[in-house]
Amino acid sequence: MADPLRPVCNEWIAKIHLAWQAKKTQFQDEADEAMNFFNGPYDWLYGTKNPRAASGFAYGGDDGDLPKPTFAMTVNKVAELVQLFGPALYHRNPIRKVNPRKPPLLPIETFGDPNDPQVQQMYMQIGQMVKQERTQDASRAALLEAYLNYTPTALDLKTESRWAIDEAVIKGMGVLWTELYTPAGAGGAKMVGSFFDTVDNLLIDPDMETLRESQWVARRCIHPYWKVERDFGLPEGTLKKWASLESYNNQGVIEAHPDGDYRRKQGLTSDLIVYWKIYSKMGLGGRLSGMRDDLRPALDKYGDFIYLVVCDNCPFPINVPQELVEAAFGEDEMQASAAEQQVRQKLQWPTPYWADDSWPFTPISFHDVPRRVWPMSHIGPAMGELKFLNWAWSFLAGKVRTACRDFIAISKSAGEELKDRIRTGPDYTIIEVEAIHESIDKVVKFLQHPDFNPEIYKIIQGVTDNFEKRTGLTELMYGLSAKQMRSAQEASVKGEQLTIRPDDMANKVEDAMSLLSRQEALCARWHLQGSDVQAPLGPMGAQWWQQLVVPSDPSEILHQLEYRIEAGSAKKPNKSLDQSNMQLAMQTLFGQLWGFAMQ
């Protein structure tokens, strides 16, 4: 039976395409527009050849009712939003805290008569067991806390997180993937870290309304085919025929080759392959709607939690060699049984995040949409105002260009010398005019444009106010105030209201960082041995890691330990607030402390 899993790969690719269309409608189109406002061409909103232009609002349209402005510009409010909110949300790596959960010690009366010696002895034994369990949990918590506070600096979590947070502010969601990492110069020692990848590469089950309910997610990857072959242990050249893109390095080689164009037309120049990593909680594919009924029993026996790597037109999963698949579905029962075990092992999730009902990534988002898995961009509610501001300021700039032109009307009867003096004469030029019987204004006159209607500025200001209310990008965020505050209470009230939105967004970042530390703890328990943690924990810490963490049940790491970050430790410190709090504390305590000192 050749290519027994080809129907599985084809059905998953079809599912991915459907999910891509759903994401495009619900999230990606708006995210791309927001990104263009942040880092697109200065005139992208007005380009006729730009397929990502904003739905005909600012230029053209079906009726052509809005002409292209003479001066095309972009009012980059999105860049200001990122530069002001980003540092307020994540200024430095947070301090991670791992605390053991304390199981309750019930009263002795629960077990019987407290005066009964047997009850007393049993109660003492239970107390010793609880104490021993608490000691083990506290030791595991100390080891994990030390390691989890080492990796953010070693693997530059600050930069990865800022990329994810900036993308969350612009597009609506940022993503950090928790993975195993082996540094080139670490002698084979493995590390666990979280790394940024654009949300553009993420797909989520479109049939569900929340991420927790989703049955599968997929991650798009683009790498050289030879690297993918090496990573998945495939023979050299196995994936070359399915490479579909050209790297910049390969393009340079092709341009220099005399037969480059011919080889490109033959499809022999692509060296990058686009593939998808699928994390499924619904099995290998037996539950997909288009799957053949005769294949369902063979697919269902591999379980619900499946890791699959597929590529367009590739007839077998990349993470399972084709020969192994054919042996597992072959007629030789003994050979098929042995191959089936190997296939089952390769189809497992690299890290069983499903045990915590989660996924290999941690999303960062600020504005969830009810009954929709994709969140809303922070700039989304103000997109209409932003487009209008770009259009209005562009036309105002064009109006300035037009209104600044000077026109001089001069009578044909005026001599050439008079015309030359008007055109090129210096300041305070004396012009002799022959006796005329008319007013000089009838011979030479400047033509002026009519006064510009100032109402447009009021409209722009009103739209700007609406934009600021929707995004929180008010003048106070810049440290400015159009009106002088009349009292300290007014300043305090405005300060409190100003921080409501940034504080809520910062709390969501802290929640995501807490979940991230939990993900990294599970990944570290699953993959790291004592030798891997010897550098950050030392020889003694590595020994206790091997004894306490490695043999522990994953549920103990997930449910008997509590992961959080120190509140406010990720944000930029407010030195003025710290100073005022210290002064207030000294005023309160100094009198009492002085009394004790005198005694």
Side-chain angles (χ1 to χ4, degrees):
M1 180 179 180
D3 302 331
L5 291 184
R6 179 189 288 270
V8 174
C9 297
N10 292 340
E11 286 299 325
W12 275 114
I13 290 296
K15 191 79 170 177
I16 285 172
H17 290 167
L18 291 175
W20 183 262
Q21 293 299 321
K23 179 189 178 185
K24 185 176 184 299
T25 302
Q26 297 180 8
F27 177 82
Q28 197 64 52
D29 287 344
E30 183 179 90
D32 290 341
E33 277 192 359
M35 193 64 187
N36 282 333
F37 274 113
F38 173 69
N39 194 35
Y42 69 93
D43 59 346
W44 80 271
L45 191 61
Y46 314 100
T48 55
K49 297 182 180 180
N50 189 349
R52 296 184 296 176
S55 64
F57 169 85
Y59 175 50
D62 296 336
D63 300 328
D65 55 344
L66 294 175
K68 180 178 179 179
T70 305
F71 190 91
M73 61 182 291
T74 296
V75 182
N76 204 331
K77 289 287 187 180
V78 181
E80 299 175 22
L81 189 71
V82 171
Q83 293 161 10
L84 288 175
F85 275 77
L89 301 177
Y90 198 101
H91 180 71
R92 57 188 176 186
N93 288 325
I95 300 172
R96 296 172 169 181
K97 306 294 292 184
V98 183
N99 299 318
R101 300 186 187 275
K102 295 182 179 180
L105 183 60
L106 301 178
I108 190 173
E109 289 80 7
T110 307
F111 304 93
D113 186 2
N115 297 321
D116 187 344
Q118 293 183 353
V119 173
Q120 293 177 358
Q121 184 179 3
M122 181 176 61
Y123 189 72
M124 290 179 61
Q125 292 175 354
I126 293 175
Q128 291 176 357
M129 292 174 57
V130 171
K131 182 178 180 181
Q132 183 179 3
E133 183 179 354
R134 288 181 177 178
T135 301
Q136 287 186 349
D137 288 344
S139 300
R140 290 194 189 101
L143 292 170
L144 286 169
E145 181 177 312
Y147 185 77
L148 293 178
N149 281 306
Y150 163 77
T151 54
T153 301
L155 299 179
D156 196 14
L157 178 62
K158 178 180 178 180
T159 299
E160 305 285 343
S161 298
R162 280 300 300 269
W163 287 342
I165 290 170
D166 288 350
E167 189 169 59
V169 172
I170 298 169
K171 296 182 178 180
M173 179 188 286
V175 180
L176 290 170
W177 292 81
T178 302
E179 299 174 325
L180 194 65
Y181 174 68
T182 304
K190 300 183 288 292
M191 301 177 68
V192 169
S194 298
F195 307 95
F196 166 78
D197 188 22
T198 175
V199 70
D200 297 346
N201 291 333
L202 175 66
L203 286 182
I204 302 175
D205 182 3
D207 295 321
M208 297 295 109
E209 296 178 350
T210 64
L211 182 60
R212 182 173 294 274
E213 294 175 342
S214 300
Q215 297 301 305
W216 64 272
V217 301
R219 180 184 183 184
R220 180 178 61 180
C221 302
I222 303 175
H223 293 110
Y225 71 87
W226 55 265
K227 183 178 185 302
V228 181
E229 293 171 348
R230 185 179 64 185
D231 292 344
F232 290 98
L234 299 177
E236 184 178 351
T238 303
L239 301 177
K240 181 175 175 58
K241 67 177 70 174
W242 294 294
S244 57
L245 300 175
E246 294 179 1
S247 64
Y248 285 109
N249 180 52
N250 203 34
Q251 289 179 23
V253 174
I254 294 167
E255 295 297 333
H257 198 280
D259 297 331
D261 290 340
Y262 174 77
R263 298 180 70 243
R264 178 174 286 155
K265 292 178 182 179
Q266 296 298 315
L268 303 176
T269 58
S270 298
D271 62 336
L272 297 179
I273 185 171
V274 181
Y275 61 101
W276 296 87
K277 295 181 179 179
I278 301 172
Y279 299 86
S280 170
K281 294 182 180 179
M282 54 181 287
L284 183 57
R287 296 181 177 89
L288 295 177
S289 58
M291 189 57 58
R292 290 172 12 210
D293 292 338
D294 59 321
L295 284 177
R296 295 181 189 273
L299 299 179
D300 290 343
K301 65 183 178 181
Y302 288 99
D304 290 336
F305 304 104
I306 295 296
Y307 169 66
L308 201 65
V309 183
V310 298
C311 170
D312 278 344
N313 302 318
C314 184
F316 60 91
I318 294 176
N319 59 323
V320 184
Q322 190 174 17
E323 298 79 8
L324 195 60
V325 173
E326 293 176 355
F329 286 83
E331 297 180 357
D332 189 335
E333 294 184 2
M334 183 175 298
Q335 185 179 7
S337 177
E340 182 182 321
Q341 293 300 322
Q342 299 181 51
V343 172
R344 187 184 303 274
Q345 184 177 3
K346 290 184 177 296
L347 290 177
Q348 291 181 355
W349 286 28
T351 305
Y353 296 110
W354 51 263
D356 196 27
D357 200 18
S358 61
W359 301 98
F361 65 91
T362 300
I364 301 176
S365 61
F366 304 114
H367 309 293
D368 295 332
V369 179
R371 302 191 62 186
R372 203 171 77 181
V373 70
W374 294 105
M376 178 176 59
S377 167
H378 189 77
I379 203 69
M383 189 64 75
E385 287 82 355
L386 184 59
K387 291 178 182 179
F388 174 82
L389 290 175
N390 280 270
W391 178 80
W393 281 114
S394 295
F395 270 92
L396 275 179
K399 179 65 176 178
V400 171
R401 172 185 176 275
T402 303
C404 287
R405 299 173 62 191
D406 291 330
F407 296 92
I408 303 175
I410 188 168
S411 174
K412 287 186 177 181
S413 61
E416 291 298 328
E417 181 180 359
L418 176 60
K419 297 178 183 179
D420 290 340
R421 286 178 177 271
I422 292 175
R423 281 196 299 263
T424 62
D427 293 340
Y428 301 106
T429 298
I430 299 175
I431 301 177
E432 297 180 354
V433 182
E434 295 181 0
I436 57 177
H437 303 287
E438 299 176 313
S439 171
I440 187 64
D441 289 340
K442 294 185 178 181
V443 178
V444 179
K445 186 176 182 61
F446 278 86
L447 300 181
Q448 295 182 350
H449 287 266
D451 293 337
F452 192 72
N453 191 344
E455 294 298 322
I456 184 62
Y457 293 106
K458 296 181 180 179
I459 296 174
I460 289 178
Q461 185 58 50
V463 175
T464 301
D465 291 342
N466 287 338
F467 176 85
E468 292 176 351
K469 291 175 182 177
R470 283 162 174 74
T471 61
L473 203 63
T474 62
E475 60 185 15
L476 293 177
M477 288 292 295
Y478 299 87
L480 305 175
S481 179
K483 298 180 180 179
Q484 184 176 1
M485 297 184 188
R486 294 169 291 181
S487 64
Q489 183 178 2
E490 179 184 358
S492 176
V493 170
K494 286 188 176 182
E496 291 176 0
Q497 296 300 317
L498 176 67
T499 59
I500 288 178
R501 192 169 349 204
D503 285 349
D504 178 64
M505 297 171 71
N507 288 336
K508 292 187 177 182
V509 171
E510 291 181 352
D511 292 341
M513 291 298 114
S514 297
L515 178 60
L516 191 72
S517 62
R518 184 184 178 97
Q519 299 275 80
E520 291 186 9
L522 176 60
C523 189
R525 150 62 185 87
W526 195 256
H527 294 286
L528 301 186
Q529 301 294 320
S531 57
D532 296 316
V533 301
Q534 185 168 351
L537 301 185
M540 186 62 67
Q543 180 180 350
W544 283 110
W545 181 282
Q546 192 70 31
Q547 294 182 14
L548 294 176
V549 177
V550 173
S552 63
D553 190 279
S555 62
E556 296 177 349
I557 301 298
L558 292 172
H559 304 301
Q560 293 184 208
L561 302 178
E562 181 183 14
Y563 301 89
R564 62 180 180 85
I565 66 170
E566 204 170 89
S569 59
K571 295 189 292 185
K572 186 175 182 179
N574 190 333
K575 296 182 179 180
S576 299
L577 180 61
D578 293 341
Q579 183 179 3
S580 62
N581 290 338
M582 183 61 68
Q583 291 176 352
L584 181 61
M586 290 302 297
Q587 292 174 5
T588 305
L589 297 176
F590 189 77
Q592 299 181 8
L593 295 176
W594 179 258
F596 284 114
M598 292 300 293
Q599 293 178 5

